[in-house]
């Protein structure tokens, strides 16, 4: 289904020779005279044992597609994607009040101003952003995955959040049938540290709970029967910058059964991490679901690289330079370059032999359109149903 298929709806669909010519021209323009499938920024040669498994999900399981849900002011922006019913799980993030220092100071200023606002102004502000209604807004056949982030919470607050989202003991007949006081219970919890800027301060890791702590808490609550034993515990990983899979190994020991990763921008580092995780037995107990941002421009690519903490890595700089150069000379060709990169990310991840699915995270309108094309029956993300 993946091999030799272009993005449906592109200017050059299913024309291998034309696409190859396009890539040769783009690589030459960016001083990287290598055609598609050979361009260093976009490829990494799998090891022989990985090539033998190319294109096969780990443990012979069907590939799982998961969707990062839009929340806050963007709530509902992903309706066209979820209505395809192609996703086996829908993941709701647990965002902090601010993700950068600039945002944090702006929030503080807004809070100070709201304290002196009139009741009418406060009411208008409260209605400006739709509430996150994750309870009934998941397709019936999809797993509902709620994120629990430590951020600046105490462990008591983390445990309260877990208890408010997960099903209680005895309500485990089928996924999607258990309910909490606030609506449909989570079928899985994604346990993370969080992205509050305060967590970047020196010494903060000694004072604030980590993803290992949140996993331990959820696993403990399962063991004592406070939440249903059927509740899945998911974790995250960033193989672009993690030197090995030792942290993933620790997360598996604390109950993690699935890893959602950041996008593989540094392909060589990512592949090495996947292989190290295999050697440690991680994939014997957990599924690998590779993050895919469906990039749509050089700016979008830079945003995701920054978010993945790998913008300064040589491989990432080379890739960003290539897309930026193409965008500066011909915007239409740059869009086709992004489309080809998005497809290549999938085929490359499958070549590692351990990939069990993809976590789709398009945030731009063009990224969402590209995702819809890739999900159609002739697209490179059409893997069939199941989880």
């Amino acid at each position: 289904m993946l091999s030799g298929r272009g993005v449906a709806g592109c200017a050059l669909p299913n024309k291998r020779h034309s696409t190859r010519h396009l890539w040769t021209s783009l690589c030459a323009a960016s001083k990287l005279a290598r055609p598609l499938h050979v361009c260093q920024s976009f490829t990494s040669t799998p090891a022989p044992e990985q090539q033998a498994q190319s294109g096969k999900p780990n443990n012979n399981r069907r590939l799982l597609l998961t969707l990062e849900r839009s929340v806050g002011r963007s709530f509902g922006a992903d309706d066209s994607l979820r209505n395809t019913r192609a996703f086996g799980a829908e993941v709701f993030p647990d965002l902090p009040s601010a993700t950068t220092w600039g945002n944090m100071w702006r929030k503080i200023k807004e809070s100070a101003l709201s304290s002196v606002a009139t009741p009418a102004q406060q009411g208008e502000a409260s209605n400006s952003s739709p509430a996150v209604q994750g309870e009934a807004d998941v397709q019936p056949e999809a797993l509902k995955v709620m994120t629990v982030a430590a951020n600046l919470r105490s462990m008591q607050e983390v445990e309260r959040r877990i208890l408010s989202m997960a099903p209680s003991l005895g309500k485990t007949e089928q996924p999607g049938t258990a309910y909490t006081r606030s609506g449909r219970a989570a079928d899985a919890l994604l346990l993370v540290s969080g992205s509050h800027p305060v967590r970047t301060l020196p010494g903060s890791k000694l004072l604030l709970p980590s993803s290992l702590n949140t996993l331990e808490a959820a696993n403990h609550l399962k063991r004592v029967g406070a939440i249903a034993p059927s509740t899945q515990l998911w974790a995250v990983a960033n193989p672009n910058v993690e030197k090995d899979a030792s942290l993933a190994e620790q997360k598996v020991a604390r109950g993690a059964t699935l890893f959602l990763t950041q996008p593989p921008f540094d392909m060589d580092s990512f592949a090495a991490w996947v292989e190290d995780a295999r050697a440690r037995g991680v994939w014997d107990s957990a599924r690998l679901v590779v993050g895919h941002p469906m990039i749509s421009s050089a700016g979008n690519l830079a945003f995701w690289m920054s978010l993945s903490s790998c913008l300064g890595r040589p491989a990432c700089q080379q890739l960003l330079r290539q897309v930026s150069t193409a965008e500066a000379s011909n915007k239409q060709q740059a869009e086709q370059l992004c489309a080809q990169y998005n497809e290549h990310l999938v085929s490359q991840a499958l070549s590692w032999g351990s990939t069990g699915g993809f976590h789709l995270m398009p945030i731009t309108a063009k990224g969402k359109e590209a995702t819809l094309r890739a999900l159609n029956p002739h697209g490179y993300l059409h893997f069939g149903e199941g989880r």
Side-chain angles (χ1 to χ4, degrees):
M1 187 65 70
L2 291 172
S3 178
R5 179 166 282 117
V7 181
C10 282
L12 300 172
N14 297 320
K15 293 184 180 179
R16 182 59 61 194
H17 296 296
S18 298
T19 301
R20 193 177 186 86
H21 176 72
L22 167 64
W23 271 77
T24 303
S25 302
L26 289 172
C27 288
S30 60
K31 310 284 186 195
L32 298 171
R34 297 170 181 262
L36 179 62
H37 302 313
V38 190
C39 198
Q40 258 185 342
S41 295
F42 284 69
T43 65
S44 173
T45 304
E49 66 271 20
Q50 292 173 304
Q51 289 178 330
Q53 298 176 331
S54 177
K56 298 180 182 178
N58 59 321
N59 297 331
N60 295 318
R61 292 176 293 189
R62 292 185 184 181
L63 289 168
L64 171 69
L65 290 181
T66 64
L67 176 66
E68 182 89 0
R69 291 297 308 273
S70 299
V71 296
R73 295 179 184 275
S74 300
F75 185 72
D78 50 12
D79 283 351
S80 61
L81 294 174
R82 42 186 304 276
N83 287 340
T84 64
R85 307 189 83 151
F87 299 96
E90 299 178 22
V91 182
F92 290 84
D94 179 16
L95 301 177
S97 57
T99 54
T100 67
W101 289 105
N103 285 341
M104 189 177 79
W105 295 125
R106 187 158 51 250
K107 292 284 185 181
I108 292 173
K109 182 178 179 182
E110 290 174 356
S111 177
L113 290 174
S114 66
S115 66
V116 296
T118 66
Q121 290 171 327
Q122 290 177 348
E124 182 180 339
S126 66
N127 293 325
S128 63
S129 178
V132 178
Q133 299 294 332
E135 292 75 27
D137 198 49
V138 178
Q139 294 293 3
E141 69 278 5
L143 295 176
K144 178 182 176 182
V145 185
M146 297 300 294
T147 304
V148 177
N151 282 319
L152 303 185
R153 295 184 175 111
S154 67
M155 282 309 302
Q156 289 79 8
E157 291 171 320
V158 168
E159 290 183 2
R160 281 199 294 270
R161 182 170 175 82
I162 292 172
L163 290 169
S164 71
M165 293 179 172
S168 58
L169 190 62
K171 299 182 178 181
T172 61
E173 296 83 3
Q174 304 231 343
T177 61
Y179 286 81
T180 65
R181 291 180 61 186
S182 58
R184 175 177 163 180
D187 302 298
L189 299 173
L190 178 61
L191 291 310
V192 302
S193 295
S195 55
H196 196 285
V198 169
R199 298 188 66 90
T200 64
L201 291 174
S204 62
K205 292 181 180 179
L206 300 175
L207 302 173
L208 298 171
S210 69
S211 56
L212 293 178
N213 298 135
T214 59
L215 270 167
E216 284 177 342
N219 209 10
H220 172 74
L221 292 172
K222 286 180 65 173
R223 286 197 308 269
V224 301
I227 61 176
S230 62
T231 306
Q232 298 180 33
L233 305 184
W234 292 14
V236 296
N238 186 3
N240 295 291
V241 297
E242 293 178 22
K243 62 180 181 179
D244 57 36
S246 58
L247 181 57
E249 188 177 23
Q250 294 179 62
K251 291 181 178 182
V252 167
R254 288 161 174 79
T257 59
L258 184 147
F259 285 88
L260 296 182
T261 76
Q262 292 287 10
F265 295 122
D266 189 334
M267 288 287 189
D268 288 338
S269 295
F270 208 105
W273 181 93
V274 171
E275 184 57 34
D276 185 55
R278 181 188 290 115
R280 294 171 182 268
V282 170
W283 309 135
D284 296 335
S285 305
R287 181 192 287 247
L288 170 63
V289 177
V290 177
H292 197 323
M294 299 299 290
I295 63 168
S296 56
S297 67
N300 181 234
L301 177 60
F303 166 82
W304 275 107
M305 286 181 172
S306 178
L307 195 65
S308 302
S309 304
C310 62
L311 183 59
R313 296 179 74 88
C316 297
Q317 282 292 303
Q318 187 180 21
L319 172 57
L320 181 59
R321 186 163 52 249
Q322 186 176 352
V323 177
S324 298
T325 300
E327 197 170 84
S329 59
N330 188 313
K331 199 162 188 178
Q332 183 178 8
Q333 285 188 340
E335 291 176 357
Q336 293 174 7
L337 178 65
C338 289
Q340 288 299 314
Y341 172 78
N342 288 333
E343 180 176 0
H344 181 74
L345 187 157
V346 172
S347 62
Q348 186 66 31
L350 290 175
S351 76
W352 299 328
S354 295
T355 299
F358 294 93
H359 182 51
L360 280 296
M361 306 177 285
I363 57 175
T364 66
K366 289 183 177 178
K368 291 180 173 67
E369 291 168 5
T371 304
L372 288 172
R373 291 194 295 270
L375 288 171
N376 73 36
H378 302 290
Y380 58 86
L381 285 176
H382 186 75
F383 302 124
E385 299 176 356
R387 56 174 179 255

